[in-house]
Amino acid sequence: MDLVSELHTIVGRRHVLQGDAATRRFRLGIRYGGGAVLAVVRPGSLLEMWRVLQRCHSAGTIIICQAANTGLTGGSTPVAEGYDRPVVLINTLRLTRLALLRQGEQVLSQPGVTLSQLETTLKPLGREPHSVIGSTCIGASVTGGVCNNSGGSLIRRGPAFTQLSLFARIDEAGQLQLVNHLGLALGDTPEEILSRLDEGRFDDSVVQDPAGAMASDREYARHVRDVASATPARYNADPRRLYEASGSAGKIAVFALRLDTFVADRNTRVFYIGSNRAADLEAIRRHILVNFAQLPIAGEYMHRTAYELSRTYGKDLFLFIQRCGAQRVPQAFAWKTRFDALSERLGLGAQLGDRLLQRLAAPLPEHLPARLNAFASRFEHHLLLKMGEDGIDEARAYLQSWLPRADADFIECDAEEGNAAFLNRFAVGNAMNRYRAVHRDTVEDILALDIALPRNTQDWFETLPPELAEQIEVTMYCGHFFCHVLHQEYLVKKGRDCAALKRRLLALLEARGARYPAEHNVGHLYAAAPELERHYRQLDPTNAFNPGIGQLTRRHRWQEDCCATHAGDAIAAVAKAARAETAETSRTS
């Protein structure tokens, strides 16, 4: 019996997909991907997933594990070429069992559980997951966040992280093994462990607390307050938070994660701050981190261009979430993906859906509150500061002590304004995709960077050299400001070399001490830093899981191509050359 027939037997014929059309939405990510696969397999239980892994391992295939496929760097989709073995993609979205531990103080999550599902489950308990809004809106999975070093917008919680996980790996001897580091006594064999999890046959009596093991980054609140540190608060390759499943980027197959949950703030208030001086926002950041008794819940930055982009090209997403709720967004994106696939097959292009949605949204009434729009016209830099409980009075007194001024002011938002401010902020990523789709005649592509600046950086706002700015049609800046994590996206003018521009931009960032990517994982777009490569090699000695991630070799057992330079060395050489070119340009201009 061949492998595909065996997979049919394990999960059922309808859950083994083949062919370009049937597999498209799994092979193609939001911005990247699209390589070929032997099959996409959708197991319906953890035990089925284990048996699929066993068959794929026996057949010697590459294995790519994928949940919601919402990543921006192609990290859970196959590339177009370069693999030396067939690829089987395992999608885990049918594995959605979520268990509460210790009255909801922790959860046990299967790999298909979404952040939206977790948030909905915890809300009646007065608790929250690591991330709220943001990735929640696009249906991102809990497991994807942990595996991909996601950060999120909530300042006190840091990167998604746990040391308590259940995963499969292929060891140095080439043997597939199931590793139970959940701290739950579930049995001795994979079949017993996975069957008990599938059926929910466990309770708090089996929960143990391995010495020193954390189910969240409990040290982050103290870590982020150190504004004198020359290192970033969080970034993708930070060794302090690379641990088994955390930061694994698909180099193991994750079956379950045990995670902390958090008490929700019952009383919150949003302060919307505007200024024409970037230095004002940095002064606010430093004062709050150093002096406030209570850290903010969130502190999101938007440049005026980002605000207007989201206002114009994120309008339909804003209204959809406002009317239907964030939990319905994944289904809406799935419908749009199917429509795009159909329009592409009919020769109408893959952007028809975006163009139609933009045309429908444009004539609708203004959706953002008048006071926010007035700030957008007055101020270049916007800071959305969300405080809870006693921190509300602390923030109000501080802001009133030096504002308003001619070039800076703040609004204490009502509930409608506060919700709208954050929703507009989190629609900006989709707005960039929409702009590209609508303006294909003037835009070559999106160049998206997420960077982490050192905590002691004061001159944080980017000013591009004229020769680089001239190549860009629109620049978008936003980010998680108190963590100094910034999302910098560039709509590159038609006909310009995106790869060359990216090299120049990264060289400038390196000169400023930035680390990248900050929270979206390296995917296939960034070279893995040495500490990240070591993590991948230790997890996956045979290079069977998601090979090629971090621009590393895709070959079996990490064999280098005979004529290829190591990706990290190549990128370093290019960056060095770009820095030298930038320095020479500055010297002669």
Side-chain angles (χ1 to χ4, degrees), residues 448-572:
L449 306 178
D450 67 297
I451 67 164
L453 294 173
R455 284 166 282 174
N456 65 356
T457 301
Q458 299 209 39
D459 186 15
W460 60 273
F461 186 70
E462 179 177 76
T463 302
L464 291 175
E467 69 273 11
L468 299 188
E470 181 274 330
Q471 302 179 48
I472 300 167
E473 179 164 318
V474 177
T475 303
M476 189 284 295
Y477 298 112
C478 65
H480 314 308
F481 189 64
F482 284 77
C483 305
H484 260 179
V485 168
L486 298 175
H487 298 285
Q488 304 186 168
E489 301 197 4
Y490 313 86
L491 289 159
V492 183
K493 289 180 180 178
K494 197 72 173 179
R496 302 307 174 99
D497 187 337
C498 293
L501 178 59
K502 180 178 178 179
R503 289 193 294 269
R504 293 288 301 278
L505 291 171
L506 292 180
L508 292 173
L509 289 169
E510 284 186 4
R512 297 171 63 197
R515 299 297 300 263
Y516 53 84
E519 59 180 7
H520 284 159
N521 206 300
V522 291
H524 291 283
L525 302 185
Y526 297 93
E531 55 268 42
L532 200 56
E533 180 177 349
R534 285 194 293 271
H535 185 53
Y536 295 162
R537 285 177 178 265
Q538 184 274 324
L539 291 174
D540 184 20
T542 68
N543 204 24
F545 289 99
N546 207 12
I549 201 82
Q551 298 184 354
L552 300 169
T553 177
R554 300 183 184 115
R555 296 170 65 84
H556 183 57
R557 287 193 176 272
W558 301 91
Q559 300 172 42
E560 295 292 344
D561 295 332
C562 60
C563 57
T565 303
H566 186 279
D569 295 337
I571 293 296

Side-chain angles (χ1 to χ4, degrees), residues 118-405:
L118 178 55
E119 183 181 356
T120 301
T121 301
L122 292 175
K123 191 171 184 178
L125 305 177
R127 303 189 72 86
E128 292 178 337
H130 166 268
S131 297
V132 177
I133 199 89
S135 295
T136 311
C137 289
I138 57 173
S141 69
V142 174
T143 297
V146 171
C147 293
N148 293 325
N149 308 89
S150 295
S153 64
L154 302 180
I155 297 168
R156 308 168 195 168
R157 301 176 192 176
F161 177 74
T162 185
Q163 295 174 318
L164 301 170
S165 61
L166 174 70
F167 59 93
R169 68 186 294 262
I170 298 172
D171 64 17
E172 292 81 353
Q175 300 300 308
L176 180 69
Q177 58 182 211
L178 187 72
V179 181
N180 181 10
H181 288 168
L182 283 172
L184 272 66
L186 297 169
D188 299 317
T189 68
E191 290 73 19
E192 183 181 5
I193 293 168
L194 298 174
S195 294
R196 289 185 67 177
L197 290 176
D198 279 331
E199 298 163 14
R201 290 189 289 109
F202 60 92
D203 55 28
D204 285 349
S205 65
V206 304
V207 178
Q208 303 165 341
D209 293 305
M214 295 189 292
S216 65
D217 189 350
R218 299 171 189 168
E219 302 164 347
Y220 189 76
R222 182 182 74 253
H223 181 74
V224 75
R225 284 184 182 268
D226 185 4
V227 298
S229 174
T231 63
R234 55 180 172 89
Y235 59 99
N236 185 269
D238 188 351
R240 66 186 285 273
R241 290 299 172 255
L242 297 176
Y243 189 92
E244 295 181 342
S246 296
S248 59
K251 299 304 290 181
I252 53 177
V254 177
F255 284 79
L257 297 173
R258 180 175 157 192
L259 295 154
D260 289 334
T261 68
F262 305 88
V263 176
D265 290 272
R266 297 187 179 185
N267 182 27
T268 65
R269 192 67 53 88
V270 173
F271 298 89
Y272 198 101
I273 303 160
S275 176
N276 288 317
R277 288 167 21 97
D280 284 344
L281 270 57
E282 182 60 25
I284 292 170
R285 171 184 172 269
R286 286 172 173 268
H287 179 88
I288 290 176
L289 289 177
V290 172
N291 298 299
F292 272 29
Q294 187 173 102
L295 282 175
I297 298 168
E300 291 295 302
Y301 170 74
M302 289 187 84
H303 188 266
R304 176 162 47 204
T305 303
Y307 182 98
E308 294 295 349
L309 274 169
S310 192
R311 179 184 180 185
T312 303
Y313 295 96
K315 187 176 186 178
D316 55 311
L317 179 61
F318 180 106
L319 293 172
F320 183 88
I321 294 172
Q322 194 176 61
R323 302 289 194 278
C324 304
Q327 70 276 6
R328 295 186 182 274
V329 172
Q331 185 58 55
F333 272 115
W335 291 336
K336 180 179 175 298
T337 298
R338 294 188 184 101
F339 181 86
D340 289 342
L342 176 61
S343 68
E344 191 173 31
R345 286 201 302 274
L346 294 175
L348 301 173
Q351 287 80 42
L352 179 62
D354 279 298
R355 295 199 299 270
L356 289 174
L357 287 169
Q358 188 61 28
R359 186 169 294 183
L360 289 170
L364 295 176
E366 176 59 55
H367 60 294
L368 294 178
R371 290 206 296 173
L372 302 189
N373 288 335
F375 258 46
S377 65
R378 291 175 59 197
F379 302 119
E380 181 180 0
H381 304 287
H382 300 202
L383 179 61
L384 290 61
L385 180 65
K386 186 175 185 179
M387 302 298 300
E389 311 303 341
D390 295 340
I392 296 172
D393 292 335
E394 200 170 14
R396 183 185 296 120
Y398 167 63
L399 293 172
Q400 288 176 343
S401 71
W402 67 284
L403 293 173
R405 291 188 334 215

Side-chain angles (χ1 to χ4, degrees), residues 372-445:
L372 302 189
N373 288 335
F375 258 46
S377 65
R378 291 175 59 197
F379 302 119
E380 181 180 0
H381 304 287
H382 300 202
L383 179 61
L384 290 61
L385 180 65
K386 186 175 185 179
M387 302 298 300
E389 311 303 341
D390 295 340
I392 296 172
D393 292 335
E394 200 170 14
R396 183 185 296 120
Y398 167 63
L399 293 172
Q400 288 176 343
S401 71
W402 67 284
L403 293 173
R405 291 188 334 215
D407 60 352
D409 202 352
F410 81 97
I411 300 168
E412 186 169 337
C413 296
D414 60 29
E416 179 184 354
E417 290 171 328
N419 289 335
F422 274 89
L423 192 48
N424 190 54
R425 157 66 183 91
F426 288 109
V428 73
N430 191 64
M432 291 291 284
N433 290 340
R434 174 66 53 77
Y435 188 103
R436 176 180 61 175
V438 173
H439 299 279
R440 293 302 303 191
D441 55 335
T442 61
V443 173
E444 184 67 30
D445 207 349

